[in-house]
Amino acid sequence: MNNKVRKIKTKIGAFCLAMGIAAGATFTPITAYAGDPATQLDGKLSTFHQGDANDCGAVSAIQALDNSKYGRKIFRKMITDNYNGTYTLNFGSGKQTVTDWDVDNAYIEGDLDARVIEAGLQKAMNVYNSCFACDVFTTMTGFKQRTYWKSNKTEILNIMAAKCQNGEGITAACDFNIADPGRGIIGDGGHSYSIKSVNKNTVVVINPWDTSVLISMPRSQFEKSIRYMTYVDDAAKNVVVYWE
């Protein structure tokens, strides 16, 4: 779906929603109205979908915020609504201000908070021309990057597994050298996924094409298949980056 068609559908949907609310106001208690995460900022991430831009690194990094206590904490403080048609993104690397027009033209479909953050990232680092999730994490947090190589892979996964086990969760992402079409895994480093969880046997990842779907694989397969992974070490104030 191109951007112009998506904007037209969004406007039509908003008009129909407004008409429906007006028509039913006499009969429906105001407490029955639920906020629509596609049109209202709520400081939480609901389901969203990567759009047509080559920005899977950014979209997977945004989703990854929802997978850890630290990520959800900074997410709640990341957006300031200026109530004048603009939003300020409180990134660790510096503030960015975007307009309603920027947000309307963001490529993410669904959650408004995610679209506002994507618009801010586009202004900060031009994510529509592709990017790595590690660089997005650096922009979001202001932390420095620390790079590791093959000998550290199992150690890094064990650290992430410990964070998942103790309830901290992980703000993490990866891509793959080896494809697994049955699981929706694209190889050759062609697509970025957020990492939902790690334990001694299993890794769960999320494809930014549809953040409501969890993809589970044996940890042994994950270790053999990845090309790169990254996670935010908030205690050390580092963005850890691993390359095969």
Side-chain angles (χ1 to χ4, degrees), residues 1-3 6 49-60 105-109 118-119 122 126-131 190-192 208-209:
M1 184 187 300
N2 62 41
N3 195 36
R6 185 172 68 251
H49 307 267
Q50 181 187 349
D52 296 331
N54 186 24
D55 62 341
C56 57
V59 184
S60 62
N105 285 275
Y107 281 83
I108 283 177
E109 299 178 3
E118 184 183 49
Q122 170 62 11
N126 195 18
V127 295
Y128 294 152
N129 283 342
S130 82
C131 61
H191 192 52
S192 181
W209 290 347

Side-chain angles (χ1 to χ4, degrees), residues 61-81:
I62 294 169
Q63 195 289 317
L65 292 170
D66 199 41
N67 300 333
S68 73
K69 288 183 176 178
Y70 172 75
R72 291 188 293 271
K73 177 181 176 181
I74 65 170
F75 180 83
R76 288 191 294 269
K77 301 176 180 178
M78 194 169 286
I79 303 171
T80 299
D81 188 342

Side-chain angles (χ1 to χ4, degrees), residues 15-228:
F15 174 77
C16 292
L17 177 62
M19 292 298 290
I21 290 173
T26 304
F27 307 101
T28 308
I30 192 68
T31 54
Y33 298 141
D36 181 355
T39 60
Q40 296 181 25
L41 294 175
D42 58 9
K44 298 182 293 185
L45 280 174
S46 61
T47 299
F48 58 90
H49 307 267
Q50 181 187 349
D52 296 331
N54 186 24
D55 62 341
C56 57
V59 184
S60 62
I62 294 169
Q63 195 289 317
L65 292 170
D66 199 41
N67 300 333
S68 73
K69 288 183 176 178
Y70 172 75
R72 291 188 293 271
K73 177 181 176 181
I74 65 170
F75 180 83
R76 288 191 294 269
K77 301 176 180 178
M78 194 169 286
I79 303 171
T80 299
D81 188 342
N82 300 316
Y83 297 103
N84 62 0
T86 69
Y87 306 88
T88 297
L89 282 302
N90 304 301
F91 294 141
S93 62
K95 295 180 183 295
Q96 298 287 338
T97 298
V98 297
T99 66
D100 282 335
W101 186 92
D102 297 321
V103 176
D104 286 345
N105 285 275
Y107 281 83
I108 283 177
E109 299 178 3
D111 190 85
L112 178 58
D113 298 72
R115 288 190 281 125
V116 173
I117 294 173
E118 184 183 49
L121 290 171
Q122 170 62 11
K123 191 166 185 180
M125 52 187 300
N126 195 18
V127 295
Y128 294 152
N129 283 342
S130 82
C131 61
F132 287 104
C134 58
D135 296 326
V136 177
F137 289 155
T138 296
T139 296
M140 289 174 167
T141 64
F143 296 164
K144 293 182 179 180
Q145 293 186 11
R146 187 169 181 179
T147 301
Y148 295 86
W149 303 93
K150 229 171 196 179
S151 61
N152 303 107
K153 177 162 53 175
T154 300
E155 176 189 357
I156 291 170
L157 282 166
N158 286 340
I159 291 170
M160 290 198 290
K163 287 178 173 290
C164 293
Q165 185 174 11
N166 69 22
E168 290 180 59
I170 49 174
T171 301
C174 65
D175 66 30
F176 293 87
N177 267 328
I178 302 172
D180 183 346
R183 286 187 167 89
I185 300 298
I186 296 171
D188 297 324
H191 192 52
S192 181
Y193 301 76
S194 60
I195 305 174
K196 173 73 173 176
S197 64
V198 179
N199 63 37
K200 66 178 182 179
N201 297 315
T202 305
V203 177
V204 177
V205 300
I206 296 175
N207 188 333
W209 290 347
D210 183 351
T211 64
S212 69
V213 178
L214 303 182
I215 302 169
S216 180
M217 66 175 62
R219 176 167 158 173
S220 57
Q221 179 187 356
F222 180 86
E223 289 199 44
K224 291 176 183 177
S225 300
I226 60 166
R227 179 185 71 142
Y228 130 100

